[in-house]
Amino acid sequence: WSRKGRTALVVVSIAAGVFAVGTIFGMVDQLLTNMDASHIASNPSHINVFLREPITAEIAESIENLDGIAGVEPMNGWAARYRTDPAEPWKSTTLVMRDDYNDQKFDNLTLVAGSWPDKNDIAIERTSQAFFGLDIGDKVYLDLETTDRQFEITGRVRHPFVPPPDFGGDTHLIVSSDVIARFGLPQGQFTQILIQVENHSDEIARERMAEVREHLAKQNVGVAIAIFQEPEEHWGRPFMLGMTFVLRVLAVLALLTSVILVVNTMTAVITQQVDQIGIIKAIGGKSGVITKVYLAGVAVYGFLAMIIALPMGMGMAFGASQALLNIFNIDYNTFAFSPRAVLYQVLAALVAPMVAALVPVLRGATMSVREAIASYGLGGDFGSNRFDQWIERNSQKILSSPYAIAIGNMFRKKGRLMLTQAVLVLAGGLFIIVLTLANSVTYTLENELGRRDYDMRIVFAGAAKRTDTVEEIANKYPAVVATEGWFTMGGTVLKDGELVKDSASLGTELFGIPVGSTMYEPNIVSGRWLEPDETGNVAVISQALADFNNFELGDNFSVDMGDAGDIDLTVIGTYIAIAPDPFTSDPVYIPEPALFSATKKTNRARHLLVKVDPPTEQLTADLKQALFDDFELKNIVVLQFLTRTIHEERQFAEEQFAIINNLLFGLSAVMGVVGGIGLMGALSISVMERTKEIGVLRAIGAKTPVVAGMFVMEGILQGVMSWLIAVPVAYLISRPMALALGRILLETELDFAFSWTAVAIWLIVILVIATLASLIPARNASRISVRESLAYG
């Protein structure tokens, strides 16, 4: 109580670590538990299948008759355009249609307000309502095949499986079969099916999906995408696991920073009070009594920190969980907390500081009476070894005596210096590591998008189109500077005559890359990419396909393309897609001449890649719509939900990564604050410890600016030293952390990009904090009288 400033610094430092532990572990528990519970409540499908051609209800029912299929529900998802005013530009939307909203089987939608849609009305998905500002009573225009028509929003619906708008998700409107029919899809036909399997496991679901694909292929229906879902784990769990992995590491390190400060503080306190310890021992005080006295003080520090941090951590964990769960369209309005997180906070506040303080307390309690009453605070034995003498000799050569003394002071208590440096290095290292992770995420995304040298990718429905026809339609626009038609063909991969596992049970889609193509090159992880003039039967396959089936470079396999024949191929490379390709789940890239030769076709394309100059976002978007209209006039159907401009791909990817980066930026700020508190506490304690020394300096004529300057120099030197250590430490630690984060988030490694900007920022921050942390207490100490300074202790 007599050293309120020191007590406040220690309590705040411990509270910062305890708060971080409570917030992060509380948030982890609440997020994952509530996400999974909400997921289970919706009765999730095991497989969500998007079809290339619509099917009838009878075909959907026939799937349910396959062995191992527990249930099937057909539905429709349709890409469309809407606007709220005829003068506004069109905006993209996804229309969701269930055949009977009162009898849903899987992925159940919930009516939140208003009424279910009918033939003249629509409903708004509630995350779209909140994000895009649409609600019940508003009217929207839908761009129909021949005209546009206005519909009133009469309901608000919760959809458990829509991409959050915060991650780049589209507007979702809930409609009836009558509305879908206005887009040219007759009632009773469906483009999507939800499937549950018996005795679910990931392997069983993939096996059943392979049978479903073959069953549909016999009826000339192709599968575009199949999304597999764990019935007891929310689809957003991998993202949260990646995020919480970083959070938990930082929470533990933040607590470690607090613990180090406790060690530093107790070391300083005992050093200040060694004469008092000597008196206690001289009058018969035992080491056990002295130990209890000081540990009781530590317990008070921890208890005060717990009182501050416990409610703050519980409140922040709930608030952060509520905000993140709302992003995933999950209600979380009743206050709750994690018992595990509270237990961790109590242990962090009461036990960790006590354990940390044991060493300095026991060292002080077991010293002899003679050692205890020896002189304190005037330099001790500095200069007794060669290192000290080297520091003293060289500092006196370049600096005046007071500042040479400041350098010596920094190394006088080497144990305290190491502890202080540990605090600063941890804080600085964490700051740089966090920003490096954010930088690596951004760099990985930029590299992935940089491999796409096109500005638009158009996907056609049904049979392949004539390449010269679709290219001619696109090339008539002056802004189009290059086009490439890509021919694709679905098939089944066989190795040594046996069916192999593919990454999504969709079979394989062969992509014929035109000779000389430079439009796209995936991220090659082994082997090589196709040569510009390559025409042979070689293939670049996904790393997932290689891992599933132990494919190695040079291995041979074949692809059965059904009626189109088969083709023998040799693996020359493997790749990893940072973001899964939205056009197929398991593409195999081969030379187009080889695919044409095997299928006995030529001049065919299912994808059209377009390069634009200038590649501005508005020009590309306008051109995309113009091409849609032109292809429609030629009766060429475009799959709008698979067609994107490069700007849309970039926006979608950036918004997916935005929440991760924003969280990491926020954490870097927190680490800066924690480091600042630790530095200020350590330097303030250091200044208080040498109050007698200040008295001696003032007694021999040292002025206030000189005394303050000594401590400012010491603080800055400590800050710079910690910075020099933190940079290589952060570099070494951030690389494996970036690799681990990439594997959790993206199932691949991030492209590592060390943040030199963070290095520069932390240098500035540490200099400012060091100056303030040393100047304020030094100024206060230098203003007290010589008598008060010499009497301190």
Side-chain angles (χ1 to χ4, degrees):
W1 183 250
S2 63
R3 298 288 177 257
K4 300 178 185 66
R6 180 178 65 203
T7 298
L9 283 169
V10 176
V11 169
V12 170
S13 299
I14 297 174
V18 175
F19 169 75
V21 168
T23 298
I24 292 170
F25 283 94
M27 187 171 67
V28 169
D29 288 351
Q30 294 179 72
L31 281 175
L32 297 180
T33 300
N34 285 278
M35 288 174 74
D36 291 344
S38 174
H39 180 71
I40 293 169
S42 68
N43 192 24
S45 59
H46 300 153
I47 315 171
N48 187 349
V49 184
F50 296 81
L51 305 170
R52 293 189 180 276
E53 295 84 20
I55 64 172
T56 62
E58 289 73 23
I59 294 178
E61 291 172 2
S62 70
I63 296 173
E64 196 163 357
N65 294 327
L66 296 175
D67 290 340
I69 301 297
V72 174
E73 181 179 5
M75 59 169 290
N76 277 309
W78 197 268
R81 299 192 302 167
Y82 82 97
R83 58 187 175 191
T84 56
D85 188 292
E88 294 180 351
W90 291 107
K91 302 173 186 176
S92 64
T93 183
T94 298
L95 306 182
V96 177
M97 187 222 88
R98 295 293 179 89
D99 204 35
D100 186 350
Y101 289 102
N102 295 309
D103 186 25
Q104 302 176 61
K105 291 184 179 180
F106 314 125
D107 300 356
N108 294 331
L109 311 184
T110 306
L111 184 65
V112 177
S115 60
W116 289 111
D118 61 21
K119 61 182 180 180
N120 295 315
D121 301 319
I122 61 175
I124 182 78
E125 204 286 319
R126 71 172 184 178
T127 57
S128 298
Q129 173 264 321
F131 192 85
F132 297 102
L134 298 172
D135 206 352
I136 294 174
D138 291 340
K139 293 181 173 61
V140 299
Y141 292 89
L142 294 180
D143 184 19
L144 304 179
E145 278 198 325
T146 56
T147 182
D148 56 283
R149 177 169 175 174
Q150 192 178 53
F151 295 86
E152 182 177 355
I153 298 175
T154 59
R156 192 184 311 136
V157 173
R158 176 184 178 269
H159 192 321
F161 294 96
V162 296
D166 301 72
F167 291 2
D170 212 348
T171 310
H172 279 70
L173 299 174
I174 316 302
V175 301
S176 66
S177 58
D178 298 88
V179 173
I180 288 291
R182 297 176 187 273
F183 287 87
L185 183 66
Q187 292 189 12
Q189 293 194 10
F190 306 93
T191 60
Q192 193 174 343
I193 48 177
L194 306 175
I195 301 174
Q196 280 193 350
V197 302
E198 297 173 352
N199 304 315
H200 176 271
S201 70
D202 183 65
E203 184 176 357
I204 289 174
R206 293 180 183 277
E207 289 175 355
R208 298 295 176 265
M209 184 59 221
E211 295 174 9
V212 169
R213 179 181 58 79
E214 292 180 7
H215 176 75
L216 291 171
K218 293 176 182 177
Q219 301 175 71
N220 297 317
V221 177
V223 173
I225 300 173
I227 300 173
F228 293 86
Q229 300 181 129
E230 288 293 330
E232 296 184 357
E233 293 184 357
H234 192 277
W235 52 270
R237 177 181 267 265
F239 165 80
M240 285 299 173
L241 287 175
M243 185 180 72
T244 55
F245 160 75
V246 178
L247 288 174
R248 281 180 278 198
V249 171
L250 295 179
V252 172
L253 293 178
L255 179 62
L256 181 59
T257 303
S258 300
V259 166
I260 292 174
L261 186 61
V262 171
V263 176
N264 211 0
T265 302
M266 294 313 300
T267 302
V269 169
I270 290 171
T271 303
Q272 282 183 296
Q273 298 179 359
V274 288
D275 52 347
Q276 298 174 34
I277 293 174
I279 293 171
I280 293 173
K281 291 202 138 195
I283 61 176
K286 303 297 183 183
S287 296
V289 174
I290 297 171
T291 300
K292 291 177 183 178
V293 168
Y294 285 102
L295 287 182
V298 176
V300 172
Y301 289 148
F303 182 75
L304 293 174
M306 185 179 69
I307 291 175
I308 297 171
L310 195 61
M312 289 179 63
M314 293 168 64
M316 181 60 74
F318 173 75
S321 298
Q322 185 180 48
L324 286 170
L325 287 171
N326 284 338
I327 290 176
F328 285 93
N329 208 5
I330 298 172
D331 291 323
Y332 193 50
N333 299 320
T334 303
F335 179 80
F337 64 90
S338 164
R340 182 181 75 151
V342 171
L343 175 62
Y344 286 174
Q345 282 186 285
V346 172
L347 294 175
L350 300 181
V351 178
M354 297 276 278
V355 173
L358 266 179
V359 173
V361 168
L362 290 175
R363 186 185 300 123
T366 55
M367 67 175 60
S368 67
V369 175
R370 185 191 63 79
E371 292 172 320
I373 61 176
S375 175
Y376 152 72
L378 296 175
D381 60 352
F382 180 77
S384 61
N385 59 58
R386 290 184 178 180
F387 176 79
D388 293 348
Q389 293 167 3
W390 183 84
I391 291 289
E392 195 171 39
R393 182 172 60 254
N394 285 281
S395 61
Q396 288 175 350
K397 289 180 180 179
I398 59 177
L399 296 170
S400 60
S401 294
Y403 298 111
I405 293 173
I407 295 179
N409 283 337
M410 189 172 76
F411 293 97
R412 183 177 63 188
K413 299 289 185 180
K414 296 178 180 64
R416 182 185 64 210
L417 174 64
M418 292 175 63
L419 289 172
T420 303
Q421 285 296 302
V423 173
L424 303 182
V425 169
L426 265 177
L430 289 174
F431 180 88
I432 297 170
I433 287 169
V434 166
L435 287 186
T436 293
L437 292 178
N439 204 39
S440 296
V441 168
T442 301
Y443 183 59
T444 301
L445 174 59
E446 289 299 321
N447 285 346
E448 177 64 20
L449 294 173
R451 298 183 186 101
R452 305 175 187 185
D453 193 28
Y454 56 85
D455 300 302
M456 187 188 315
R457 187 171 184 175
I458 300 171
V459 184
F460 303 112
K465 314 306 176 189
R466 287 180 60 91
T467 304
D468 55 6
T469 299
V470 294
E471 287 187 349
E472 182 181 357
I473 292 173
N475 286 326
K476 74 178 184 180
Y477 290 92
V480 175
V481 295
T483 57
E484 274 187 11
W486 283 14
F487 180 55
T488 67
M489 180 63 67
T492 302
V493 176
L494 302 171
K495 184 180 182 183
D496 299 327
E498 297 290 331
L499 183 70
V500 306
K501 298 178 182 178
D502 58 77
S503 64
S505 295
L506 299 180
T508 291
E509 185 156 11
L510 297 171
F511 275 65
I513 306 301
V515 174
S517 173
T518 59
M519 290 283 195
Y520 177 64
E521 180 176 337
N523 181 24
I524 301 297
V525 293
S526 67
R528 64 175 178 85
W529 178 238
L530 304 175
E531 298 290 347
D533 57 351
E534 197 133 34
T535 60
N537 287 26
V538 295
V540 178
I541 66 175
S542 69
Q543 189 63 45
L545 180 61
D547 291 341
F548 280 157
N549 301 281
N550 297 317
F551 274 122
E552 295 183 358
L553 298 180
D555 282 356
N556 298 314
F557 67 97
S558 62
V559 178
D560 180 0
M561 298 178 290
D563 294 340
D566 55 18
I567 182 172
D568 295 322
L569 298 165
T570 301
V571 178
I572 62 167
T574 64
Y575 70 91
I576 288 180
I578 300 303
D581 193 314
F583 311 105
T584 180
S585 293
D586 204 6
V588 169
Y589 298 102
I590 69 173
E592 186 180 66
L595 186 56
F596 278 154
S597 175
T599 58
K600 298 178 174 57
K601 294 183 183 294
T602 186
N603 190 32
R604 288 291 184 270
R606 283 196 172 96
H607 297 245
L608 180 66
L609 276 61
V610 180
K611 191 171 178 61
V612 179
D613 187 31
T616 63
E617 183 174 358
Q618 188 60 53
L619 176 62
T620 309
D622 291 343
L623 180 61
K624 181 178 109 172
Q625 187 53 49
L627 288 174
F628 279 173
D629 295 338
D630 282 356
F631 287 130
E632 187 176 350
L633 290 175
K634 299 286 187 180
N635 294 318
I636 298 174
V637 180
V638 174
L639 293 175
Q640 295 192 31
F641 72 101
L642 293 180
T643 297
R644 287 179 182 169
T645 67
I646 195 68
H647 301 285
E648 290 170 337
E649 290 182 5
R650 179 181 296 277
Q651 180 182 4
F652 182 75
E654 286 178 347
E655 287 173 341
Q656 283 187 305
F657 285 107
I659 190 168
I660 302 172
N661 281 344
N662 290 339
L663 180 66
L664 292 175
F665 291 143
L667 286 172
S668 69
V670 171
M671 291 302 103
V673 171
V674 171
I677 292 172
L679 175 58
M680 188 171 292
L683 291 178
S684 297
I685 290 168
S686 176
V687 169
M688 286 187 284
E689 182 181 340
R690 291 204 296 277
T691 301
K692 281 186 178 181
E693 186 175 292
I694 294 172
V696 172
L697 290 171
R698 287 180 59 78
I700 61 176
K703 302 297 182 183
T704 295
V706 174
V707 173
M710 291 173 58
F711 287 101
V712 170
M713 171 174 278
E714 182 180 347
I716 291 175
L717 286 174
Q718 289 216 40
V720 172
M721 178 183 289
S722 72
W723 177 79
L724 291 172
I725 299 172
V727 172
V729 168
Y731 186 90
L732 293 174
I733 296 176
S734 56
R735 182 181 290 273
M737 282 193 69
L739 297 181
L741 180 63
R743 292 190 189 101
I744 294 171
L745 281 178
L746 306 172
E747 298 183 355
T748 185
E749 296 179 353
L750 292 178
D751 295 329
F752 181 69
F754 189 68
S755 178
W756 294 105
T757 301
V759 171
I761 291 173
W762 184 248
L763 177 60
I764 296 171
V765 169
I766 201 71
L767 290 176
V768 171
I769 292 176
T771 301
L772 294 176
S774 54
L775 181 61
I776 295 173
R779 180 173 178 271
N780 291 337
S782 64
R783 292 176 67 183
I784 64 177
S785 66
V786 173
R787 183 188 63 80
E788 291 173 320
S789 296
L790 295 177
Y792 182 80

